[in-house]
Amino acid sequence: MIMKNAKQIMKKVIDKLHHTISMHNDIISKINKMYTVNIKKTTIGIVGRSGEGKSSLLSAILGKKNLMPSGSFGACTSVVTQVKANLTDSNYTAVIEFISKEEWEKELKDLLTVLSDDSEDSNEDLFEIAVEKITALYGRGADQKTLEELKKDDKYAEIENFITETQNSKKISKSDLSEFAKDIACYVLNSKSSHGGWLWPIVKCVTIKIPDCRELLEHIVLVDLPGTGDCNKTRDDLWKSVRILPGTDYHAEVPWARTDKLSECSSVWIVSDINRAITDRDPWGILKHCMEELGPGGECKSINFICTKTDEIDPDQKKRCIRHRNELAKTSVKEKFENSEIKKRFSTDNHFLQVFTVSCNAFFNPSLNLESTETEIPNLQDVLRSCNKSINQELTRDYVDEAKGVLSLIQSVQLDTNKKTAEKKASVRIELETNLTKALNELDKYFGNIHHDLNKRLSKGVKESVNSCVASTKALVASRKRRGFHKTLQALCKNHGYFSPKRRDAVLDLNKKLVKPLHENIDEYFSLHFPLNGTTGKSVQEQIDKFTIIQSDSAYTRSSMLRHIQNFIKTQENGQKTKLIKETVEIKKHIYSSILETIKNEMAPCYEEAAALTGTGSMKERQDMLITTVDEKKQIMFNKAKMEALKKLKNLKLHIKSTLKSKLKKAMDTSLSQDSTIKLMGKRECNPFRLCKTI
């Protein structure tokens, strides 16, 4: 209501301004921009093994039973699904994004190559993925056919035409929930009991918008990342911090693009069956492998570990046993986290990890003898509700502050009736410009210190990386006893140094292995200068926050008109600082990830060449090529990674300084104009004092 009232007031103000003879264009433009602020939504990532109940969890939290198609008859979600609030109408809508026809044709050839390998060294994971994808699209027995045979099948032409006709995206909108869930099932589910007509292998991402959930999702997007062990290449890309764009030149200046799914998450929900929450290596493997993307390279402020299916127990005293097992699970998960490497890397407080034990079935079915609160679904709804409310409060505060500043500017113009005020304004401008120069110099000094600190840590990391990289490469690419490692290594090269098997805790990532010493040397630095929670006394965010050109002993105190100008400039200053603090979080991700991106970029030609090797002795040749390339490039590529990170830190400094300088000078120009004859509106038409009080 506060935001609504403030907007109504500012609408009245701008209507008045449009009817004045002398309009102040800067003010009108500023008010119009207040209506078009586009805030980035808060992202919550939901991850976990297939069949752990993620789809049912989402349906329960949003109070829409069977909203997300889920695991009946062996079906599981197999594409990245983003869930948002529909704020425009009462329909359920979905936008399905597809891979291109060219991408699928290339991938299909690779899948058929895997299927045609009947050697003892074939890879079971790759083989299973290929079978599931091809039979999902083309039907039972399609995995036994050649490409030429598939092309003769009507389904091949149907799929090809479908990708072409949809132009890489399709929209579905339904008022009925059951119809909607039925229509989107083939795009998001992998059903092991049905073959043919399931389109998930060619889907890149699905965005679903739900009506009647403004209170939970107005400013939040839930990202359901497919369960580990699912069979979609996009999922593998999304688990990495960077990926190559299709068709890009390896030698282009910027050939890499961030996927940003994990690094965008301000919170991550790990979903696991309560019976496997402690023993299952997958959820803990997820956290361990993604620590960099969530912590120093991301913005994750909390992790919720959600134990599902708590009602699946059948002793005589069911309810008592459920409660007992729930408490045991919570205690055990927290103890495991406290003793893990993850806890140390995040440097968190005791509230970073919360454990929930939920029953989605009992939430919708009271006959299962659990109260609604005991299912803990309402607790998770409160988490979303609280987050959404906090964002609303922040938006309202920022809008109202901006409105007060504009109204102060209007009042200063109305009070500017004396020709002598021009001299006062000139004096104040000199004072503000002097303060601006001084404050910018302080920023320079601060960034000089943290640049020196980062340079020192990176130099140490480069030295350690150079000394350890060859041994690390040998250890990772050496022949394993596990069957199919030849194909695993080839897949790793095709995927530019990364291979994700069915078990997430067994991920192979040569690039991360190479940069590990560098990351370990700067993680503490990033926690100090770019903290995810709280203050450290040395963070960039705190340095921006204390930046000001308004001094308490200013000449402003001697004039009502100048005090209003001060209020306007202060609101402009605060608005820019708020914006820069948010941008700093985004830029620090790029500083951190640039190290991995640089190494991946340097290794890319080698990966491509190694992936193309075939025939007898190709595995040994591939191993030697990777080891030799790392050895030859180690000095250059690690130093290049260091310089790229330092360059991005310098660019952050320049961005902060140039933004503050240009925006504050513009605020001075707007408020300290030497023309004292501008009249925006009569006092009887609009009294800014009264409007500020109303807001």
Side-chain angles (χ1 to χ4, degrees):
M1 289 302 298
I2 294 174
M3 175 74 86
K4 182 179 178 180
N5 291 338
K7 286 186 174 182
Q8 287 175 346
I9 289 171
M10 298 313 291
K11 184 178 185 303
K12 290 179 182 178
V13 171
I14 201 168
D15 287 342
K16 299 281 187 185
L17 288 172
H18 277 302
H19 289 88
T20 57
I21 297 174
S22 300
M23 290 191 306
H24 201 310
N25 291 330
D26 282 344
I27 296 177
I28 294 175
S29 174
K30 193 169 290 294
I31 296 174
N32 285 332
K33 286 180 180 179
M34 289 167 63
Y35 287 96
T36 58
V37 173
N38 202 0
I39 187 171
K40 174 190 169 186
K41 289 183 180 289
T42 293
T43 301
I44 296 177
I46 304 177
V47 297
R49 184 199 294 269
S50 297
E52 302 291 74
K54 289 187 292 151
S55 297
S56 298
L57 178 68
L58 279 174
S59 296
I61 288 172
L62 299 177
K64 311 284 187 181
K65 191 173 183 180
N66 299 323
L67 164 66
M68 303 293 291
S70 60
S72 57
F73 304 108
C76 60
T77 308
S78 291
V79 301
V80 175
T81 306
Q82 300 184 109
V83 182
K84 303 179 179 180
N86 185 350
L87 304 175
T88 57
D89 57 50
S90 59
N91 281 0
Y92 297 87
T93 65
V95 176
I96 299 104
E97 298 178 56
F98 301 98
I99 61 176
S100 68
K101 177 183 173 182
E102 293 73 23
E103 286 174 312
W104 174 244
E105 287 176 348
K106 182 181 182 303
E107 187 173 354
L108 179 58
K109 289 179 181 178
D110 289 341
L111 294 173
L112 291 171
T113 299
V114 170
L115 291 174
S116 64
D117 181 9
D118 56 1
S119 68
E120 293 184 358
D121 197 38
S122 62
N123 184 285
E124 293 177 4
D125 278 352
L126 295 174
F127 187 87
E128 186 178 342
I129 288 172
V131 171
E132 288 183 324
K133 281 193 170 186
I134 291 175
T135 56
L137 280 168
Y138 304 114
R140 192 182 300 276
D143 56 308
Q144 305 295 323
K145 298 179 181 180
T146 64
L147 181 59
E148 290 70 27
E149 289 172 330
L150 279 178
K151 286 182 176 180
K152 295 175 183 179
D153 194 308
D154 291 341
K155 286 184 179 177
Y156 186 91
E158 288 177 14
I159 298 298
E160 192 174 55
N161 292 335
F162 181 81
I163 298 178
T164 304
E165 290 172 0
T166 55
Q167 296 182 334
N168 286 24
S169 69
K170 175 183 176 67
K171 183 176 180 179
I172 295 173
S173 183
K174 297 283 183 179
S175 58
D176 183 78
L177 176 55
S178 60
E179 288 183 17
F180 174 75
K182 182 179 178 181
D183 285 354
I184 67 170
C186 66
Y187 301 106
V188 299
L189 288 188
N190 167 24
S191 177
K192 301 183 187 303
S193 62
S194 180
H195 299 279
W198 296 88
L199 301 174
W200 60 265
I202 57 173
V203 174
K204 186 180 296 182
C205 179
V206 176
T207 299
I208 295 174
K209 292 187 177 181
I210 311 300
D212 308 319
C213 60
R214 178 184 291 270
E215 189 183 22
L216 298 178
L217 296 182
E218 181 179 6
H219 302 296
I220 298 170
V221 54
L222 302 175
V223 180
D224 180 7
L225 294 171
T228 56
D230 288 328
C231 319
N232 193 302
K233 184 178 183 298
T234 305
R235 175 216 18 146
D236 282 344
D237 286 337
L238 289 166
W239 281 103
K240 297 175 288 181
S241 60
V242 293
R243 67 181 175 93
I244 191 167
L245 289 175
T248 51
D249 180 1
Y250 280 116
H251 303 288
E253 184 178 351
V254 187
W256 306 108
R258 293 181 58 82
T259 60
D260 272 342
K261 288 303 178 187
L262 283 170
S263 66
E264 283 181 359
C265 295
S266 62
S267 179
V268 172
W269 293 5
I270 305 293
V271 182
S272 179
D273 186 321
I274 191 168
N275 291 310
R276 296 194 293 264
I278 306 301
T279 58
D280 190 3
R281 290 182 295 181
D282 244 20
W284 301 99
I286 290 169
L287 288 175
K288 184 177 179 180
H289 183 70
C290 301
M291 284 188 295
E292 290 84 6
E293 285 80 15
L294 296 175
E299 55 180 286
C300 182
K301 298 177 182 178
S302 67
I303 291 175
N304 288 338
F305 201 106
I306 303 171
C307 303
T308 58
K309 305 180 182 180
T310 63
D311 58 281
E312 294 185 5
I313 191 171
D314 193 27
D316 294 333
Q317 295 176 313
K318 184 174 182 179
K319 192 169 184 177
R320 182 180 297 177
C321 289
I322 289 174
R323 289 174 176 171
H324 175 73
R325 187 174 62 172
N326 287 353
E327 289 304 315
L328 181 63
K330 288 184 178 185
T331 301
S332 300
V333 169
K334 287 182 178 179
E335 285 179 353
K336 186 164 184 175
F337 177 76
E338 288 297 322
N339 297 323
S340 69
E341 179 186 352
I342 304 163
K343 164 74 174 178
K344 299 173 184 176
R345 292 289 295 276
F346 275 101
S347 300
T348 61
D349 57 32
N350 293 329
H351 300 290
F352 180 77
L353 177 77
Q354 297 296 317
V355 184
F356 297 84
T357 49
V358 306
S359 170
C360 302
N361 289 333
F363 179 74
F364 287 116
N365 186 0
S367 68
L368 294 178
N369 297 322
L370 283 178
E371 299 293 332
S372 176
T373 54
E374 291 177 313
T375 69
E376 296 203 10
I377 294 296
N379 294 354
L380 285 170
Q381 291 174 331
D382 285 342
V383 169
L384 295 180
R385 195 175 287 112
S386 176
C387 179
N388 208 48
K389 182 179 179 181
S390 177
I391 297 170
N392 263 323
Q393 290 173 336
E394 181 184 346
L395 287 173
T396 301
R397 182 185 65 247
D398 292 346
Y399 186 92
V400 169
D401 285 348
E402 179 85 356
K404 286 182 177 180
V406 172
L407 294 175
S408 288
L409 178 61
I410 294 172
Q411 183 67 7
S412 73
V413 174
Q414 289 186 318
L415 292 172
D416 187 7
T417 57
N418 190 335
K419 292 182 180 181
K420 293 182 179 180
T421 57
E423 184 177 336
K424 293 181 181 178
K425 287 182 177 181
S427 175
V428 169
R429 188 181 189 100
I430 293 172
E431 176 187 332
L432 290 175
E433 288 179 343
T434 300
N435 292 344
L436 178 59
T437 300
K438 182 180 179 181
L440 291 173
N441 287 339
E442 286 295 315
L443 273 179
D444 251 336
K445 181 180 178 181
Y446 168 79
F447 272 102
N449 291 333
I450 67 171
H451 184 282
H452 177 269
D453 191 14
L454 181 59
N455 182 33
K456 182 179 178 180
R457 292 167 182 263
L458 284 172
S459 297
K460 185 172 183 288
V462 167
K463 184 177 180 180
E464 291 176 7
S465 295
V466 168
N467 291 336
S468 65
C469 62
V470 173
S472 296
T473 305
K474 287 180 179 178
L476 189 141
V477 307
S479 179
R480 309 289 179 94
K481 294 180 180 180
R482 188 169 65 87
R483 177 183 171 185
F485 186 72
H486 171 59
K487 296 298 180 183
T488 296
L489 189 57
Q490 185 179 33
L492 178 141
C493 292
K494 282 186 176 182
N495 234 13
H496 306 99
Y498 177 92
F499 177 74
S500 171
K502 291 283 186 178
R503 278 182 28 237
R504 181 61 58 183
D505 66 329
V507 166
L508 298 180
D509 195 331
L510 178 56
N511 302 307
K512 272 195 175 182
K513 196 81 170 177
L514 293 173
V515 302
K516 186 178 179 181
L518 277 161
H519 279 167
E520 288 179 341
N521 273 283
I522 65 171
D523 281 352
E524 184 181 345
Y525 168 93
F526 270 74
S527 296
L528 182 66
H529 295 294
F530 303 100
L532 298 172
N533 282 310
T535 59
T536 65
K538 295 186 177 181
S539 72
V540 175
Q541 293 96 315
E542 290 170 272
Q543 192 69 25
I544 294 172
D545 190 53
K546 74 177 186 179
F547 182 98
T548 185
I549 63 172
I550 306 295
Q551 304 299 322
S552 58
D553 58 348
S554 168
Y556 285 124
T557 57
R558 299 189 292 271
S559 163
S560 295
M561 178 198 70
L562 295 181
R563 280 201 301 273
H564 285 297
I565 291 175
Q566 175 192 35
N567 291 338
F568 170 72
I569 293 177
K570 189 66 178 177
T571 59
Q572 298 305 295
E573 184 181 79
N574 288 339
Q576 288 306 315
K577 291 196 297 186
T578 298
K579 183 180 177 183
L580 284 170
I581 287 171
K582 292 177 180 178
E583 290 175 349
T584 295
V585 175
E586 296 301 317
I587 295 172
K588 76 102 176 184
K589 298 177 190 176
H590 292 281
I591 297 172
Y592 191 90
S593 66
S594 67
I595 295 170
L596 185 65
E597 292 173 27
T598 302
I599 299 305
K600 192 173 182 182
N601 192 11
E602 290 294 305
M603 290 293 297
C606 172
Y607 289 139
E608 189 175 53
E609 188 178 351
L613 295 172
T614 58
T616 305
S618 59
M619 179 173 177
K620 179 66 166 57
E621 192 175 352
R622 188 175 290 118
Q623 291 170 326
D624 291 343
M625 183 179 293
L626 290 169
I627 294 167
T628 301
T629 300
V630 168
D631 193 25
E632 290 176 348
K633 289 193 168 189
K634 60 187 180 184
Q635 289 287 350
I636 294 175
M637 69 179 180
F638 290 122
N639 274 293
K640 190 172 182 178
K642 165 191 164 181
M643 297 309 298
E644 186 63 26
L646 291 172
K647 175 184 173 183
K648 289 186 181 297
L649 179 64
K650 181 181 178 181
N651 289 342
L652 171 61
K653 178 192 75 171
L654 294 175
H655 173 66
I656 293 172
K657 287 184 62 180
S658 64
T659 299
L660 288 170
K661 184 177 181 180
S662 63
K663 297 298 182 181
L664 290 178
K665 283 201 169 186
K666 185 176 180 181
M668 292 181 212
D669 292 338
T670 301
S671 59
L672 295 170
S673 169
Q674 298 304 307
D675 183 2
S676 63
T677 63
I678 296 175
K679 291 294 175 284
L680 298 173
M681 61 187 70
K683 290 186 180 181
R684 295 181 64 183
E685 292 177 298
C686 178
N687 186 330
F689 284 123
R690 178 173 57 80
L691 293 178
C692 285
K693 185 177 180 181
T694 301
I695 294 177

